[in-house]
Amino acid sequence: MAKVFIAGKIPDKATALLKATDLKIDMYTDDKLIDATTLKRHVADSDFLITPLSTPVDRDVLDHAPKLKLIANFGAGTNNIDTIYAKKLGIPVTNTPIVSTVSTAESTTGLIIGLMHRIAEGDHLMRTTGFNGWAPLFFLGHELQGKTLGIIGLGQIGQAVAKRMHAFDMPILYTQHHRLPVSREVELGARFVPQAELLEKSDIVTLHLPLNEHTKHLLGAKEFAQMKPSAVLINAARGPIIDEVALTQALKEHIIAGAALDVYEHEPEVSDELKQMQNVLLTPHLGNATVEARDAMATIVAENVIAAAAGQPIKYIVNEL
């Protein structure tokens, strides 16, 4: 009997689909992330692996999985997996794209509104010292209307963010390798510009691109210096796209005004300096943390395993063999 190992708790939607098959299911159910030793022990006799994007599946792990026929990553990114080595071993790796788009776009919108209107700061104030009452100059934030939004990476999620923020009457600039059709730009109210111009003119910069060798530390000290002193940075993509040390320094020196981060360079670790800054909004990688998105992701990984076990085509392969 073929075995699927699930390297972390995932929605029941997936297990319900898998239990309707002849597959043997082995699941890691501890609340802590699985360690490498435990992972290697379980994949040693597994035919299929479903793994959260927080779990590294490196060369060493793959060398301990001689029977493995598929890695179904529970997440849109796959930087936790050595996809190149997996390809050499003939193991396809899949992800769960598209279904996270709405949740991540909504989350990003929330980060932007929360930071600009100082919502988290206000909540903290009310739970600690409180306030003396309404006053004309008390706890002022900024409206979104008329502020320029710069989007770096206008893929599915970036476009969904643009659609939502366009409704706030925000001029939108974007940059990426390939320009969108003019008709789509008009629909989103977005204008294509080089990255330097985007950084120089934007009041809010938000990142929506994958992590790879070209995007790691895409934004560092040089780029922060190009931004307005009043500008803020939003990152709900991948932590290492930002040089976090440089960001911390830019915030301390008021080179930029603030940041809202849902992902971190050394996740799950967050520096004490960032935690202590009042102009920084921090959330624990909640981009697609909705019941709807996670159920859809669960369906994708389960259906891919079931298809692979039956010798049928699988979807969303990121390392085509």
Side-chain angles (χ1 to χ4, degrees):
M1 181 183 295
K3 171 186 164 183
V4 52
F5 177 58
I6 306 173
K9 294 180 181 178
I10 60 175
D12 292 339
K13 193 93 171 179
T15 52
L17 289 168
L18 292 168
K19 285 176 181 177
T21 71
D22 293 330
L23 289 166
K24 178 183 178 182
I25 302 171
D26 180 16
M27 182 186 292
Y28 177 79
T29 57
D30 199 300
D31 288 331
K32 296 185 296 184
L33 294 179
I34 193 169
D35 61 87
T37 300
T38 304
L39 178 60
K40 287 186 285 188
R41 185 171 71 250
H42 283 273
V43 298
D45 62 345
S46 296
D47 299 275
F48 310 100
L49 171 64
I50 295 175
T51 180
L53 60 79
S54 53
T55 298
V57 182
D58 58 17
R59 179 184 290 254
D60 187 31
V61 170
L62 293 171
D63 282 340
H64 282 79
K67 297 177 60 182
L68 209 56
K69 302 176 182 66
L70 171 69
I71 302 170
N73 208 41
F74 194 98
T78 54
N79 49 289
N80 59 309
I81 300 171
D82 189 335
T83 56
I84 296 174
Y85 190 59
K87 180 176 181 177
K88 289 181 180 179
L89 296 176
I91 304 170
V93 176
T94 62
N95 65 345
T96 57
I98 303 171
V99 293
S100 297
T101 298
V102 170
S103 290
T104 306
E106 290 180 353
S107 239
T108 301
T109 302
L111 289 174
I112 292 170
I113 295 171
L115 185 64
M116 296 294 281
H117 284 270
R118 304 176 66 184
I119 292 172
E121 284 184 78
D123 178 79
H124 178 72
L125 180 74
M126 294 307 296
R127 294 174 188 274
T128 52
T129 60
F131 76 128
N132 296 323
W134 186 93
L137 300 179
F138 175 68
F139 224 77
L140 300 181
H142 292 279
E143 293 182 357
L144 300 183
Q145 181 175 283
K147 303 296 187 300
T148 298
L149 176 67
I151 303 177
I152 301 180
L154 206 64
Q156 292 285 340
I157 294 173
Q159 290 181 44
V161 170
K163 176 183 176 181
R164 285 154 177 78
M165 304 319 294
H166 184 48
F168 283 84
D169 296 324
M170 299 184 73
I172 297 172
L173 305 177
Y174 80 97
T175 191
Q176 60 182 8
H177 288 305
H178 304 291
R179 184 174 176 177
L180 295 177
V182 173
S183 59
R184 184 58 173 158
E185 290 182 340
V186 171
E187 186 180 354
L188 296 171
R191 183 164 66 89
F192 180 80
V193 295
Q195 179 175 294
E197 183 178 345
L198 180 146
L199 294 172
E200 179 186 344
K201 293 182 176 179
S202 297
D203 298 294
I204 302 166
V205 175
T206 182
L207 306 178
H208 299 288
L209 63 171
L211 175 63
N212 55 44
E213 60 182 2
H214 304 294
T215 62
K216 183 176 181 179
H217 286 191
L218 181 71
L219 297 188
K222 175 186 172 183
E223 288 72 28
F224 298 136
Q226 294 174 321
M227 294 172 65
K228 297 179 181 180
S230 58
V232 299
L233 177 66
I234 314 295
N235 189 11
R238 290 291 180 266
I241 294 173
I242 294 174
D243 181 339
E244 210 163 275
V245 172
L247 172 63
T248 303
Q249 196 64 28
L251 291 164
K252 285 168 62 176
E253 296 179 4
H254 306 290
I255 293 170
I256 64 172
L261 307 174
D262 187 47
V263 290
Y264 307 92
E265 184 169 3
H266 305 292
E267 193 168 316
E269 300 300 322
V270 183
S271 75
D272 288 336
E273 285 186 292
L274 285 175
K275 290 179 185 178
Q276 292 164 9
M277 293 180 180
Q278 295 301 308
N279 58 340
V280 177
L281 177 58
L282 306 172
T283 52
H285 205 146
L286 299 178
N288 62 15
T290 60
V291 171
E292 294 82 1
R294 297 289 168 86
D295 275 354
M297 294 163 71
T299 299
I300 290 173
V301 295
E303 288 182 345
N304 269 340
V305 167
I306 292 167
Q312 300 297 319
I314 55 179
K315 298 178 180 178
Y316 310 123
I317 299 173
V318 299
N319 64 337
E320 289 287 353
L321 304 180

